[in-house]
Amino acid sequence: MHRIEQIYIDGAFVAPHGQEWFDLFNPATAQVIGQVRLADEHDARRAIAAARRAFPAFSRTGKAERVEWLRRLHAAVQAREDDLFDAIVEEYGAPVSRARWMAQYAASVLLDAASVLEDYAFTRRMGTAEVVMTPLGVAGLITPWNSNGGFICGKLAAAVAAGCTAVIKPSEMSALQTRVVTEALHAAGLPPGVFNIVTGRGEVVGAEISTHPDVAKVSFTGSTEVGKAILRAGAQTLKRVTLELGGKSPVLVLDDADFAQAVPLALQAGFMNSGQACIAGTRILVPRQRLAEFEAAVVAEVARIRSGDPRDPDTAIGPMVSQKQWERVQRYIRLGIGEGARLLAGGEGRPRGTRDGWFVRPTVFSGVRNDMTIAREEIFGPVLAILPYRDTEEAIAIANDTSYGLQAYVLSADAARARAVAGRIEAGRVLVNTLAHEPAAPFGGFKQSGIGREYGTFGLEAFMEPKSLLGVD
Ligand code: NAD
């Protein structure tokens, strides 16, 4: 049994003031694997005070110094890759190939920020003014459970690069990953107070961070509902916010697409991270005249996709993170059937060969209309909807008929045509015939998928404010 009893404040592991113990589960067995002692408001305030004390000196460090800190943080997290991998599999249930990528990403994102920082000009000339990009202050960084280690490191990387200090509120459900990452970051030897890590409940520690006057900025990844609550809470002190929220990403299969490539790619986009991905391509738009052909290829392909034990290298889809998440997915499957969508693959219940864990069957509905609940709401599980369309104009209209706008996919044999369609999609990222990630490019949502951007220069500038100096020649 794991027992996690410490939080990290002012460069030291300390016992929290909070007394609540929170159970940690292995989603592949539904068994309790440990407990974490949660921080409370008092702990959050101590962490904010430490970050505030550290800010004046840290904000004055130079670019070379911070590049060096980021390199050290990268080396320290990389050194713990195997431990992080084990924690991700045990506590989150990611299949091993995905868990390996996630563990590597937590380190690489720190190096990505170092290279952005190296090339970044903090001072530029605009007319007669000298414009200096200035760090905002104490940043509150709040992460979800679906990639906790990676989000901690990614947000901290941008904050450190900008010269901000940080209070991190990881998901309370991801305490094993947080422990590994905290130990690694501590080993890098940054000055005390530059980052502080307080695992606690969202409505307690997260709420304190979102309202505290000494927090200048909140960078949040999580649900749209909580994102809106943070925006409201931060309004009183006009906090700067970056909100990375939910999605209902369309996959536009154009009528010239080669289905031998398009079908596996669409299913990978939909089932990535066991369907628990904000960027999952969950609405698959297929030309009506090729619908039967597409459906047949989907049925054959889904039959090859294994949902089960995350430690089996053949597994593509691991368990849902919690019982609550499992029940949520089951409810959406029932809703889809009730609304008259046609079940093409999967359905309610557990996949054959699995028992106690929170496993779900890879599920695809066809004949879905865009006004059905399963086409509008984020399910956050491996449940996909195929929506037939008449022509490309209608496909673009359906793709954009959503309150979200995080990511989209366009699949076509004609690159120029796909490029033209991609230009008309309302989303922060559009991937044409690929699932590749580009860490140098901004990432974030249009519409209710968020506010602001992460990664690259845009992500760095989200932790800074421009200051214009006049008459300083
Ligand atoms: P969530 O919104 O429930 O929780 C996210 C974090 O916010 C947790 O640390 C939680 O404790 C905290 N929180 C909860 N209530 C809070 C409050 N009132 N004030 C401050 N903090 C609070 O999300 P989740 O269930 O952990 O994650 C799944 C969601 O995250 C999905 O909607 C998914 O789309 C989204 N997500 C978005 C991105 C992106 O980059 N756009 C990436 C991954 C996940």
Side-chain angles (χ1 to χ4, degrees):
M1 286 293 257
H2 301 276
R3 206 169 158 79
I4 300 175
E5 201 163 358
Q6 291 181 315
I7 53 175
Y8 186 78
I9 295 180
D10 216 6
F13 289 87
V14 295
H17 176 268
Q19 298 290 330
E20 181 186 355
W21 286 90
F22 182 84
D23 282 340
L24 302 169
F25 290 88
N26 179 339
T29 61
Q31 298 296 310
V32 173
I33 52 168
Q35 278 92 30
V36 56
R37 184 169 156 189
L38 297 181
D40 64 8
E41 301 91 336
H42 182 87
D43 298 305
R45 288 195 284 270
R46 269 178 73 198
I48 293 166
R52 189 176 178 205
R53 280 193 302 276
F55 179 69
F58 194 68
S59 62
R60 285 195 295 270
T61 52
K63 190 200 259 195
E65 205 176 335
R66 296 209 293 275
V67 166
E68 182 52 29
W69 287 129
L70 287 165
R71 291 213 177 104
R72 281 204 216 175
L73 289 166
H74 164 257
V77 175
Q78 196 178 42
R80 298 294 301 274
E81 180 187 316
D82 287 346
D83 295 331
L84 187 54
F85 166 84
D86 286 339
I88 292 169
V89 177
E90 184 179 5
E91 160 185 86
Y92 174 60
V96 287
S97 59
R98 177 78 190 180
R100 182 56 67 187
W101 182 87
M102 287 168 126
Q104 289 167 348
Y105 171 84
S108 67
V109 77
L110 289 151
L111 211 52
D112 293 338
S115 63
V116 171
L117 179 56
E118 271 184 313
D119 295 337
Y120 187 75
F122 282 84
T123 304
R124 43 197 118 142
R125 197 89 210 162
M126 293 187 169
T128 57
E130 185 183 304
V131 178
V132 186
M133 294 304 288
T134 311
L136 279 167
V138 174
L141 313 177
I142 303 177
T143 69
W145 43 259
N146 72 333
S147 187
N148 180 61
F151 287 128
I152 290 177
C153 292
K155 289 181 189 298
L156 180 63
V160 164
C164 290
T165 56
V167 176
I168 302 168
K169 206 302 278 175
S171 170
E172 55 275 42
M173 292 160 66
S174 313
L176 297 190
Q177 293 170 65
T178 297
R179 176 167 64 182
V180 175
V181 169
T182 309
E183 287 169 2
L185 297 174
H186 171 69
L190 265 66
V194 168
F195 68 91
N196 306 272
I197 304 185
V198 277
T199 299
R201 287 193 181 273
E203 61 275 23
V204 179
V205 174
E208 184 66 33
I209 290 171
S210 314
T211 49
H212 199 291
D214 290 341
V215 174
K217 154 100 194 174
V218 176
S219 177
F220 168 79
T221 298
S223 61
T224 295
E225 197 189 328
V226 173
K228 288 177 184 176
I230 287 173
L231 191 60
R232 281 192 293 269
Q236 193 57 33
T237 47
L238 281 184
K239 292 192 199 323
R240 278 58 180 152
V241 291
T242 300
L243 303 175
E244 296 289 357
L245 311 176
K248 195 73 193 174
S249 299
V251 182
L252 285 88
V253 181
L254 300 192
D255 55 11
D256 62 0
D258 174 3
F259 286 179
Q261 287 162 21
V263 170
L265 208 132
L267 292 177
Q268 268 185 57
F271 292 149
M272 73 168 75
N273 203 11
S274 307
Q276 300 176 129
C278 51
I279 54 174
T282 48
R283 290 186 299 143
I284 307 174
L285 278 46
V286 177
R288 198 176 288 280
Q289 69 273 21
R290 296 186 68 191
L291 183 62
E293 185 193 344
F294 192 85
E295 287 179 351
V298 164
V299 170
E301 189 67 24
V302 174
R304 282 197 282 273
I305 294 176
R306 181 169 311 173
S307 170
D309 180 3
R311 293 192 187 274
D312 181 338
D314 291 335
T315 294
I317 299 175
M320 300 298 90
V321 72
S322 63
Q323 168 107 30
K324 188 173 155 210
Q325 194 66 18
W326 187 86
E327 282 164 4
R328 174 190 166 94
V329 172
Q330 302 300 317
R331 186 178 77 81
Y332 276 109
I333 295 174
R334 284 193 297 277
L335 253 170
I337 295 167
E339 285 183 311
R342 192 156 37 85
L343 199 54
L344 209 58
E348 269 190 86
R350 290 181 160 75
R352 227 193 323 253
T354 64
R355 284 186 354 149
D356 307 323
W358 296 310
F359 299 103
V360 294
R361 299 168 69 192
T363 296
V364 184
F365 285 102
S366 191
V368 177
R369 286 191 327 269
N370 205 40
D371 62 354
M372 292 180 180
T373 312
I374 56 166
R376 302 215 74 83
E377 295 183 8
E378 186 181 49
I379 298 172
F380 230 53
V383 180
L384 309 182
I386 296 178
L387 296 90
Y389 68 81
R390 199 178 47 245
D391 54 26
T392 309
E393 285 306 312
E394 192 187 36
I396 294 168
I398 296 171
N400 289 335
D401 176 17
T402 169
S403 59
Y404 292 113
L406 189 59
Q407 185 143 304
Y409 307 80
V410 181
L411 311 181
S412 168
D414 180 341
R417 195 174 161 222
R419 170 76 183 73
V421 170
R424 295 179 58 194
I425 304 299
E426 297 161 1
R429 244 179 213 210
V430 187
L431 277 58
V432 175
N433 293 328
T434 183
L435 297 182
H437 175 54
E438 174 48 74
F443 174 78
F446 283 23
K447 302 193 269 187
Q448 294 191 35
S449 282
I451 294 177
R453 295 291 180 269
E454 294 194 290
Y455 302 130
T457 311
F458 288 90
L460 173 61
E461 290 192 336
F463 285 87
M464 295 190 287
E465 196 113 72
K467 179 193 287 182
S468 299
L469 298 173
L470 284 86
V472 293
D473 290 334

